[in-house]
């Protein structure tokens, strides 16, 4: 929705108007969407001075069809959609088949997601009092056109306070000893303390890497 506002104004946040489009950002309005995961609180961006009532098409589409938003989230996350495919999905839920966001905006959004992932993977783990560590691999069809599945190495922790925390997600195509060792060493380098126990599915490479790390 932020990208849709930027397109409507023909400029990004904090950029001065060059006279291309009238209007300006005017804060946020609190809204929500109820979906399978519970209630999602939304900060709905507002615009003023546009000459006519401005409506966020993405919001108008999603607030009436939360089943669509849930499907989009699942498909874009697990399916590894390309920019073109994401644009096609946005066309599918819009009015009259017009894309809600341009391909360049979709591309910018995917870059933001990648930046968030890198920030997640780089965060300090030294402050977490990990008691139990659980590690396993999941396989997702990220390259469906080639019929391939990508292994994602995942580690969760249960802390001394009882909280469950996702620690790390890295690629590991063959779930090899080397892939798992790199996965564990990365967490150790970020301050992960030795847990009381490590639970695995018994895969030899995973077990060996856990013991080595």
């Amino acid at each position: 929705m932020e990208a849709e506002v930027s397109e409507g104004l023909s400029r990004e946040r904090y950029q001065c108007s060059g006279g291309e489009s009238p209007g300006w950002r005017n804060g946020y309005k609190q809204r929500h969407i109820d979906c399978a995961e519970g209630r999602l609180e939304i900060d709905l961006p507002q615009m003023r001075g546009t000459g006519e009532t401005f409506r966020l098409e993405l919001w108008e589409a999603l607030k009436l069809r939360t089943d669509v938003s849930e499907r989009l989230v699942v498909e874009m996350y697990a399916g590894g959609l390309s920019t073109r495919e994401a644009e096609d999905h946005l066309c599918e839920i819009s009015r009259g088949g017009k894309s809600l966001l341009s391909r360049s905006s979709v591309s910018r959004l995917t870059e933001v997601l990648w930046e968030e992932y890198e920030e997640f993977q780089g965060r300090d783990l030294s402050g977490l009092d990990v008691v139990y560590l659980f590690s396993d691999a999941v396989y997702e069809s990220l390259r469906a056109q080639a019929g391939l599945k990508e292994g994602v190495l995942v580690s969760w922790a249960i802390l001394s306070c009882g909280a469950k925390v996702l620690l790390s997600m890295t690629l590991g195509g063959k779930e090899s000893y080397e892939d798992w060792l790199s996965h564990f060493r990365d967490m150790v380098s970020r301050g992960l303390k030795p847990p009381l126990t490590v639970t695995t599915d018994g895969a030899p490479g995973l077990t060996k890497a856990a013991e080595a790390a």
Side-chain angles (χ1 to χ4, degrees):
M1 289 186 288
E2 290 286 0
E4 192 176 343
V5 169
S6 294
E7 286 194 351
L9 292 173
S10 299
R11 61 184 182 276
E12 299 294 333
R13 179 187 295 276
Y14 304 124
Q15 280 187 326
C16 296
S17 172
E20 309 90 347
S21 302
W24 60 90
R25 292 174 179 268
N26 188 48
Y28 296 86
K29 186 180 292 184
Q30 293 292 322
R31 290 291 183 266
H32 67 265
I33 290 178
D34 292 316
C35 65
E37 297 299 330
R39 174 160 291 189
L40 303 180
E41 300 297 335
I42 307 292
D43 292 327
L44 199 66
Q46 301 293 296
M47 289 171 58
R48 289 288 176 88
T50 57
E52 58 184 28
T53 303
F54 178 78
R55 296 185 182 277
L56 289 164
E57 291 193 44
L58 182 59
W59 172 253
E60 293 295 321
L62 295 184
K63 72 177 182 179
L64 298 176
R65 301 181 60 188
T66 55
D67 58 319
V68 174
S69 65
E70 291 166 21
R71 178 172 58 80
L72 284 176
V73 169
V74 170
E75 289 185 1
M76 290 184 180
Y77 176 77
L81 296 187
S82 67
T83 353
R84 177 58 182 271
E85 290 166 331
E87 185 183 36
D88 290 343
H89 276 288
L90 292 173
C91 282
E92 184 181 322
I93 65 170
S94 68
R95 298 168 180 169
K98 177 185 176 183
S99 178
L100 299 176
L101 292 174
S102 69
R103 198 173 305 173
S104 60
S105 290
V106 173
S107 181
R108 286 198 302 273
L109 292 175
T110 58
E111 289 174 4
V112 169
L113 290 176
W114 179 251
E115 289 169 2
E116 290 178 354
Y117 167 74
E118 290 187 315
E119 182 179 353
F120 166 79
Q121 279 299 116
R123 74 199 193 289
D124 182 13
L125 304 179
S126 62
L128 301 178
D129 187 15
V130 176
V131 181
Y132 307 115
L133 183 68
F134 298 83
S135 297
D136 199 3
V138 244
Y139 288 87
E140 298 287 354
S141 299
L142 298 181
R143 300 188 178 96
Q145 69 275 16
L148 301 177
K149 288 190 175 182
E150 187 75 77
V152 183
L153 311 186
V154 184
S155 285
W156 287 86
I158 294 181
L159 309 183
S160 57
C161 64
K164 183 180 179 183
V165 178
L166 177 61
L167 297 179
S168 180
M169 294 188 300
T170 58
L171 289 180
K174 296 182 179 179
E175 204 178 342
S176 66
Y177 164 73
E178 290 76 14
D179 287 339
W180 274 116
L181 186 60
S182 175
H183 177 87
F184 287 126
R185 281 179 172 171
D186 172 70
M187 291 190 293
V188 171
S189 71
R190 292 189 281 132
L192 178 67
K193 302 179 181 70
L196 179 65
T197 65
V198 180
T199 301
T200 74
D201 62 357
L206 169 52
T207 302
K208 182 181 177 182
E211 291 171 348

